[in-house]
Amino acid sequence: MFCFPAMGHRHCCALGPMDPMRRSPSPCPSRPSSPRTPPCEMLGYVGIEAVLDQLKIKAMKMGFEFNIMVVGQSGLGKSTMVNTLFKSKMWKSTVQGLGTPTPQTLKLQSVTHVIEEKGVKLKLTVTDTPGFGDQINNDKCWDPILGYISEQYERYLQEEILITRQRHIPDTRVHCCIYFVPPTGHCLRPLDIEFLQRLCRTVNVVPVIARADSLTIEERETFRRRIQHNLRTHCIEVYPQKCFDEDINDRILNSKIRDRIPFAVVGADREHLVNGRCVLGRKTKWGIIEVENLAHCEFPLLRDLLIRSHLQDLKDITHNVHYENYRVCRLNESHLLPRGPGWVNLAQTPAGPLATPQPSKVHQQAQEDSEDGDEY
Amino acid sequence: MTSEVARHLRGEHQDSGKFHILLKELQLVMLFQTHMPTKTTCLSSQISDDEQNQKKENIRSLTMSGHVGFESLPDQLVNRSIQQGFCFNILCVGETGIGKSTLIDTLFNTNFEDHGSSHFYPHVRLEAQTYELHESNVRLKLTIVNTVGFGDQINKEESYQPIVDYIDAQFEAYLQEELKIKRALSNYHDSRIHVCLYFISPTGHSLKTLDLLAMKSLDSKVNIIPVIAKADAISKAELQKFKIKLMSELVSNGVQIYQFPTDDETIAKINASMNGHLPFAVVGSMDEVKVGNKMVKARQYPWGVVQVENENHCDFVKLREMLICTNMEDLREQTHTRHYELYRRCKLEEMGFTDVGPENKPLSLQETYEAKRHEFYGERQRKEEEMKQMFVQRVKEKEAILKEAERELQAKFEHLKRVHQEERMKLEEKRRLLEEEIIAFSKKKATSEIYQNQPYMASGSNLKKEKDRKKISNAQVLDGGSRRTRESMRAGSLSYRAQSLPQR
C-alpha cells in the first residue's frame, strides 16, 4: 500500500480569459499544518474504502440536478435534440406559423423534469432560447441569455450568503450550454463568434454542428477544422477547457474530445425499423439516418460527453470556476455601487450591464482583484 | 456501434478507473439495446412528499423511452471524490494515560508516531497530527487531535475551554475562507473536527463531573461518541450496569451525543442496534498474541488474554465498524450541515448581520456589511480626530512645562551672576585698598630712610666715618639688601608707629 505525496489541485490553474483562482488556504495558527503529511502504512485492512459506498448511498438518496441550455437559431433542431438526448418528449418542437409575429425580444423558456433510471433520480432543467439570432438586427441578442445565466448565479449567491441557509441550496445554475452552429459548411459567422466569445467566460459551452445530415462526411471534417481554427483564432475556450485538465489521463481523454468538437449531430425522435431493430432516426427518400450510429452522425459522442462521462465535471467547473468568478465580480462590485434601495433584491437585480461583466470589465476587475486581495 | 465508441473513447490506455466504468456502462448499454426498449418508470410511490414538492414547483416527471445512461452519475461523483481525496478529523478527549493513542493506532491498524505525555502540564494543550492513509484507491487525510494534559491539573476549571476554543478556531478558519472574495474552497484542507471520541475512565460508578461538564460544552459543536476506555478492567456484569448508568446520566443532563442515523433503509437496522450499545467499551492494543494458531491483537494477562477483535471481549469491532465503515460520510455531513451552520449563524448574528431588516424587508449580507463598514469608518475617523486632539494638547502642555523650567533656570543664572559680580567687586575693593597700603608703606619707608641718613651728615668730622659708613652701608645695602630693607622697614615701622616723633 503506497501513499500519495499530496492532494490534487482541482481547477486551480487558469489561462486566457478565465480569472485565476487563488490556491493557498488562509493561515491559521491553531490549524494542523497541511503541507507536511507523513505517509503511513497500514498493517491490515481497516475498511476506509467503505466510504465510497456511503457516498453513493447518500448521492442516490439526494438525487442529482442538471441544467442545460440550448442556444441557436430557430429551425436548427434544438428541441428535437433535447428530446433525443433524454429519450422523451421534453419539448414540442415549435414551428413558427406564418401568421404569428416574430417576438421582438428573446424570451427564455425553462422546463424541468425529473427522470429516473435504476434508482438514480435526475432533476433536469432545459432552457430554450427561441428567437435567438432571428431578427434583422441581432445586436446584443446575447444579453438576455447572459442575463439569465447571471441571474441563476445571483440566485445561488443570495442563498449562499443567507444567515440561515438551507441544507441543500437548489442549484439552478446553467451547467452546460449547447450552441447550435448552422451547417453552412464554411466557417463561424460573426454572430456565432461574438456570442461564443462572451458566453465562454461565464458558462461551459459545447458547440455542435446542427442538422449535420446536410453535409457529407468530408464536408463535415473541413467544416469542423475551420470551426476549430476559428475558435483558436478568437481565443474561445469551449468545454472541455484545456486549462482544467488535471492529470495525464484527463488530458488524453479530453484532447480526443477536443479533436472532435464541434460534434456533427442529427436529432430525431421518431423510431423506424432498420434491419429488424427499432432505432431512432430520420427517414428520407435516400435512406434512414440512424441517430445512434456513429458512422452516420456523432450524436452518441455528444450524449456520452454530456451524460455518461462528464456530467459531474460540468457541474464541478460551473461551481468551482464560473460561479466563483461571478461571485468575485459581484462582491467587488458591491463596493463601487451606491447603496440604493433594493439593489440586492433578486427581483430588482438589473439583467443589464451591471450583472453581466463585459469582457474588458472582467479583465479590469481581475487586475483590481489581484491588488485588492481579501479586502473583505 | 458501441464498440466503436468504446474503442474511440478508450484509446490506448486501459488502466484508468474512468475508462473501466465507461466500459461497464457501454456493456450495459449493449445489453439493453438488444432487447426492446423498456420503459423506465419514475416516481416510485414512497416519495409522496417529493411528488407534492414537484407539483408545487411545477415539475413533471417524465417517462423515458430508452436507456439514457445517467445511472453512472453516482460513479462519476465517486470518481471525483477519489481524485480529490477524503479528509477526516478525529478529536480524542480523555485523561492522560487512558489509552487514546493506542486506540487510534488499533483503529487504523498503524503505528502512528507518538510519544507518551507527561502528567505535569500546567494547561490543557491540543496537538494535531495529520497522516495520509491509502487503501485500494481511497486516499484519506486523517488528522488526529489529542488533548494533552486533560484532567491532570489540580484545578480543572480551565480544562475543557481549550478544546472548545480549538473547535471554534477550526470553524472560524473555514468561515473566513468561505467569506473571502477570492476563495479556494475546493482546495481547502478541511480541519473541522468531524467526530470527538470521549474517553470515559472505567470506574464502574458514574460519570465524573469533569466529563459531564466537558461533554455538555462540546455537544453542540461536535459529534460526540463516548467510549469506555480500558474496558478490560470491568467485568461483564458491571459493564452493563455502568453503561446504563452512563446513558441515563447523559440523558438526564441533556447531553446530546451522536446518534447513528436510521433514516436510510440499508443501514438503519444496524445503526439502530448499535445505538443501543453506546457507549462502546473498547480495548486498544497493537501487540500480537498467539491464540489458537493465529496471531491476534490482544492484551496478555496472567489470567487470560483479552482479544481486541473478539466481540465477546469488547466492542472494538463495533466502534470501528460504526466510525469508519458505515458512518464516516454521515459524520462529515453532520459536521458541515449542522454544527458548522450553527456556528456560522451564531457568529454572523453576533457580528450584527441579519436576514430580515427593520421593516421585515429581506436584508442582504452586503447591505449590512456596507452599513457596518460605513459605521466602522466613521468610528475610525472619529477616533483619529480624538487622538490628534489629544496629541496636540499634550504637546502644548509639555511645551509650557519646558518653558517654565527654562525661565527658572534663567532666573537662577541671573541671580548667581549677580552674586558673583558682587563678590568680585568686593574683592576688587580689597585689592585696591591693599595696593594703596603698599604704596603708602613704601612712601613711608622712603621718607624714613632719608631721615635716618640726615643726622650723620650734620657732624663733618665724622665725614670720613660717614663715608666709610656710607660705603659700608652701601656695601651693606649691596650685600644684605634684605637686611637693610628689613632694618629700614623696622625703622620705618618704628618711625611710622612713632609718627608723632618730631623729626629734626
Side-chain angles (χ1 to χ4, degrees):
Chain A
M1 321 214 176
F2 326 105
C3 294
F4 286 160
M7 265 181 30
H9 291 291
R10 186 90 186 156
H11 301 144
C12 64
C13 63
L15 307 160
M18 306 280 177
D19 280 322
M21 292 275 300
R22 275 242 309 240
R23 276 185 207 221
S24 48
S26 63
C28 174
S30 53
R31 278 185 57 219
S33 52
S34 51
R36 205 187 72 79
T37 54
C40 284
E41 272 216 22
M42 296 195 298
L43 308 167
Y45 180 74
V46 173
I48 297 180
E49 61 179 6
V51 74
L52 299 179
D53 293 321
Q54 297 171 29
L55 261 185
K56 257 198 217 165
I57 293 174
K58 187 174 89 162
M60 306 263 284
K61 201 166 65 155
M62 234 174 32
F64 293 86
E65 288 170 316
F66 192 52
N67 308 319
I68 201 172
M69 180 191 265
V70 282
V71 184
Q73 287 178 303
S74 24
L76 283 180
K78 304 192 291 286
S79 320
T80 321
M81 174 57 60
V82 170
N83 287 349
T84 323
L85 262 177
F86 294 100
K87 290 214 168 51
S88 44
K89 284 252 186 267
M90 291 258 165
W91 295 99
K92 282 201 291 284
S93 21
T94 49
V95 177
Q96 290 278 351
L98 289 171
T100 55
T102 46
Q104 288 303 311
T105 53
L106 188 58
K107 267 226 261 295
L108 291 103
Q109 296 169 353
S110 270
V111 144
T112 311
H113 296 286
V114 170
I115 43 183
E116 182 176 332
E117 197 173 63
K118 291 220 181 111
V120 177
K121 283 195 293 288
L122 178 66
K123 187 167 125 183
L124 182 69
T125 307
V126 182
T127 312
D128 197 2
T129 57
F132 174 78
D134 283 343
Q135 274 82 37
I136 304 277
N137 182 4
N138 284 317
D139 198 21
K140 297 220 187 307
C141 66
W142 45 81
D143 274 347
I145 298 179
L146 292 177
Y148 176 81
I149 295 174
S150 300
E151 188 187 318
Q152 307 313 309
Y153 287 146
E154 182 67 29
R155 203 177 282 190
Y156 194 85
L157 180 66
Q158 291 299 326
E159 285 288 329
E160 201 190 25
I161 60 180
L162 278 182
I163 306 288
T164 326
R165 300 200 280 211
Q166 296 176 35
R167 198 170 190 133
H168 176 69
I169 302 179
D171 192 0
T172 53
R173 303 171 290 188
V174 177
H175 297 133
C176 176
C177 175
I178 309 183
Y179 187 75
F180 286 75
V181 177
T184 58
H186 295 169
C187 59
L188 285 179
R189 303 166 301 159
L191 172 66
D192 300 332
I193 293 176
E194 278 298 317
F195 184 76
L196 283 173
Q197 264 180 339
R198 286 185 165 73
L199 220 62
C200 280
R201 289 173 212 281
T202 49
V203 77
N204 300 317
V205 178
V206 179
V208 294
I209 302 175
R211 287 189 179 275
D213 49 338
S214 59
L215 298 170
T216 64
I217 303 289
E218 297 82 22
E219 282 167 2
R220 279 186 208 167
E221 277 306 308
T222 3
F223 192 25
R224 195 201 317 273
R225 298 286 160 231
R226 282 210 203 101
I227 292 183
Q228 285 173 357
H229 179 73
N230 279 339
L231 294 176
R232 267 197 302 272
T233 325
H234 290 96
C235 300
I236 299 174
E237 288 244 358
V238 297
Y239 184 82
Q241 291 98 341
K242 208 176 282 195
C243 47
F244 299 136
D245 283 341
E246 288 191 15
D247 51 10
I248 188 81
N249 294 330
D250 272 353
R251 208 171 302 141
I252 293 172
L253 174 70
N254 286 343
S255 47
K256 284 203 192 341
I257 297 175
R258 276 193 281 271
D259 200 43
R260 303 301 288 262
I261 288 226
F263 297 125
V265 294
V266 175
D269 45 7
R270 292 224 186 93
E271 284 177 359
H272 305 276
L273 211 60
V274 169
N275 291 342
R277 280 185 355 228
C278 228
V279 290
L280 284 172
R282 284 169 64 81
K283 186 164 180 178
T284 57
K285 286 211 157 52
W286 46 92
I288 296 182
I289 305 162
E290 291 168 46
V291 166
E292 306 235 347
N293 191 338
L294 207 60
H296 291 195
C297 77
E298 287 164 359
F299 171 78
L301 293 181
L302 177 69
R303 181 197 53 205
D304 291 337
L305 177 77
L306 281 187
I307 300 176
R308 293 189 189 171
S309 57
H310 284 76
L311 200 150
Q312 190 60 42
D313 195 43
L314 283 164
K315 287 172 66 166
D316 286 341
I317 295 188
T318 311
H319 181 69
N320 292 334
V321 179
H322 297 297
Y323 170 68
E324 290 294 320
N325 283 348
Y326 175 80
R327 184 174 173 275
V328 167
C329 287
R330 191 80 173 88
L331 292 181
N332 276 336
E333 259 174 34
S334 69
H335 294 341
L336 309 168
L337 288 175
R339 280 167 52 225
W343 57 276
V344 287
N345 268 338
L346 185 60
Q348 297 166 34
T349 307
L354 280 174
T356 65
Q358 303 297 322
S360 55
K361 192 175 176 199
V362 167
H363 228 34
Q364 200 184 21
Q365 286 285 8
Q367 283 169 9
E368 275 176 17
D369 289 349
S370 52
E371 285 159 22
D372 286 344
D374 38 345
E375 202 188 314
Y376 202 102
Chain B
M1 170 267 310
T2 43
S3 52
E4 275 182 61
V5 176
R7 229 183 300 132
H8 162 82
L9 285 168
R10 191 172 56 216
E12 260 73 68
H13 299 261
Q14 306 261 351
D15 52 348
S16 158
K18 252 192 210 171
F19 289 122
H20 276 199
I21 287 177
L22 205 55
L23 207 50
K24 254 192 269 180
E25 291 313 312
L26 292 168
Q27 284 169 2
L28 276 168
V29 167
M30 264 169 56
L31 223 95
F32 262 88
Q33 287 196 335
T34 49
H35 311 304
M36 292 293 287
T38 48
K39 282 210 160 92
T40 46
T41 52
C42 33
L43 205 61
S44 38
S45 51
Q46 63 195 10
I47 330 166
S48 52
D49 49 333
D50 253 9
E51 207 178 316
Q52 282 171 17
N53 282 346
Q54 284 167 28
K55 287 218 171 79
K56 260 188 279 181
E57 299 173 30
N58 237 353
I59 302 175
R60 288 168 35 205
S61 36
L62 214 53
T63 329
M64 296 181 306
S65 60
H67 174 83
V68 177
F70 57 82
E71 81 257 9
S72 65
L73 275 179
D75 295 318
Q76 291 181 33
L77 188 64
V78 161
N79 280 339
R80 181 195 62 155
S81 304
I82 290 177
Q83 253 180 345
Q84 264 182 344
F86 293 91
C87 200
F88 196 54
N89 308 319
I90 302 183
L91 168 69
C92 296
V93 182
E95 295 169 355
T96 316
I98 208 172
K100 305 187 282 283
S101 313
T102 319
L103 184 69
I104 297 294
D105 282 355
T106 325
L107 261 178
F108 290 98
N109 222 340
T110 339
N111 274 317
F112 296 121
E113 47 183 275
D114 77 325
H115 17 259
S117 3
S118 101
H119 285 263
F120 295 100
Y121 291 113
H123 302 288
V124 174
R125 233 178 48 237
L126 283 99
E127 277 178 1
Q129 269 285 2
T130 311
Y131 307 95
E132 258 211 50
L133 299 175
H134 195 228
E135 185 172 275
S136 59
N137 53 356
V138 175
R139 278 188 343 238
L140 180 71
K141 237 190 187 160
L142 181 71
T143 304
I144 312 280
V145 186
N146 243 319
T147 51
V148 175
F150 187 77
D152 273 340
Q153 292 82 32
I154 296 184
N155 181 1
K156 297 190 226 207
E157 273 176 0
E158 297 296 309
S159 289
Y160 48 86
Q161 194 55 41
I163 306 178
V164 174
D165 291 339
Y166 180 85
I167 296 178
D168 278 346
Q170 308 315 307
F171 282 147
E172 182 66 31
Y174 192 85
L175 183 66
Q176 289 300 323
E177 184 67 29
E178 203 188 22
L179 286 180
K180 269 200 202 156
I181 294 191
K182 270 213 192 120
R183 56 192 191 180
L185 273 184
S186 45
N187 287 344
Y188 184 73
H189 169 61
D190 191 4
S191 61
R192 301 175 291 182
I193 304 291
H194 297 129
V195 69
C196 169
L197 287 176
Y198 199 94
F199 289 74
I200 302 175
S201 36
T203 56
H205 295 314
S206 62
L207 271 180
K208 294 192 190 158
T209 323
L210 173 63
D211 291 342
L212 200 58
L213 285 175
M215 278 207 261
K216 194 93 179 79
S217 61
L218 290 174
D219 70 347
S220 57
K221 294 195 183 288
V222 75
N223 304 313
I224 300 185
I225 298 183
V227 293
I228 302 174
K230 298 198 171 178
D232 48 351
I234 319 184
S235 70
K236 261 213 138 65
E238 285 175 355
L239 189 64
Q240 263 319 98
K241 276 199 290 194
F242 190 35
K243 279 194 187 179
I244 294 174
K245 187 92 204 303
L246 285 177
M247 287 308 283
S248 67
E249 271 200 0
L250 288 174
V251 163
S252 62
N253 282 298
V255 175
Q256 288 176 335
I257 56 174
Y258 177 70
Q259 296 292 326
F260 301 117
T262 48
D263 46 2
D264 184 33
E265 318 81 49
T266 48
I267 50 174
K269 246 192 339 187
I270 185 170
N271 275 347
S273 78
M274 290 300 179
N275 275 331
H277 279 111
L278 278 175
F280 294 125
V282 293
V283 176
S285 167
M286 284 302 281
D287 303 323
E288 301 220 333
V289 171
K290 198 169 173 77
V291 170
N293 47 4
K294 283 196 309 179
M295 295 295 282
V296 293
K297 287 207 273 283
R299 285 175 66 80
Q300 176 126 54
Y301 289 107
W303 49 88
V305 175
V306 180
Q307 293 163 36
V308 167
E309 290 178 346
N310 187 335
E311 298 229 22
N312 289 329
H313 290 195
C314 73
D315 296 332
F316 172 79
V317 175
K318 294 198 182 79
L319 175 68
R320 185 171 64 188
E321 173 96 14
M322 285 290 105
L323 193 63
I324 303 175
C325 306
T326 319
N327 294 309
M328 195 194 271
E329 189 56 35
D330 184 66
L331 283 164
R332 286 168 36 159
E333 194 182 329
Q334 289 285 332
T335 308
H336 181 69
T337 52
R338 224 169 47 146
H339 301 294
Y340 171 69
E341 287 295 317
L342 183 66
Y343 174 81
R344 178 177 179 271
R345 192 165 56 230
C346 292
K347 196 74 202 293
L348 290 178
E349 275 175 3
E350 202 180 280
M351 292 207 291
F353 293 109
T354 48
D355 271 340
V356 179
E359 292 109 34
N360 243 10
K361 276 201 311 215
L363 200 65
S364 97
L365 206 68
Q366 285 153 301
E367 264 183 8
T368 328
Y369 173 70
E370 279 294 305
K372 278 210 171 307
R373 202 181 149 161
H374 224 67
E375 194 186 307
F376 174 71
Y377 276 136
E379 184 74 27
R380 195 172 84 172
Q381 206 76 335
R382 203 176 53 79
K383 277 222 172 103
E384 264 180 32
E385 278 302 317
E386 223 177 271
M387 279 173 68
K388 252 188 229 167
Q389 297 284 4
M390 209 157 67
F391 180 69
V392 165
Q393 197 171 9
R394 284 253 180 90
V395 164
K396 268 199 205 139
E397 276 175 22
K398 200 75 184 197
E399 221 178 318
I401 291 175
L402 284 173
K403 269 213 176 93
E404 186 67 41
E406 199 182 342
R407 249 181 298 137
E408 260 178 48
L409 270 173
Q410 195 76 359
K412 248 191 202 166
F413 178 66
E414 293 284 313
H415 174 73
L416 278 174
K417 201 165 159 189
R418 248 181 300 132
V419 164
H420 173 70
Q421 274 304 66
E422 271 171 26
E423 296 238 324
R424 207 161 153 207
M425 270 167 43
K426 272 194 199 148
L427 275 170
E428 286 285 335
E429 191 68 39
K430 276 199 183 148
R431 194 168 159 206
R432 204 166 40 81
L433 281 170
L434 193 60
E435 272 182 10
E436 273 174 14
E437 268 181 34
I438 290 176
I439 290 171
F441 171 71
S442 52
K443 266 193 200 152
K444 282 260 163 53
K445 186 181 73 172
T447 41
S448 72
E449 269 178 23
I450 291 172
Y451 278 132
Q452 268 185 359
N453 291 335
Q454 267 187 357
Y456 297 115
M457 277 175 70
S459 58
S461 57
N462 297 341
L463 212 66
K464 206 185 166 190
K465 277 189 195 159
E466 197 205 340
K467 274 189 191 157
D468 287 320
R469 209 177 277 156
K470 263 196 184 162
K471 273 191 204 150
I472 292 166
S473 61
N474 281 342
Q476 275 180 345
V477 165
L478 284 168
D479 292 326
S482 57
R483 199 162 60 93
R484 180 94 172 127
T485 334
R486 250 187 285 136
E487 276 178 357
S488 63
M489 271 200 76
R490 218 182 303 132
S493 65
L494 273 171
S495 66
Y496 178 80
R497 240 185 259 129
Q499 253 180 30
S500 57
L501 263 176
Q503 288 177 352
R504 281 193 272 168

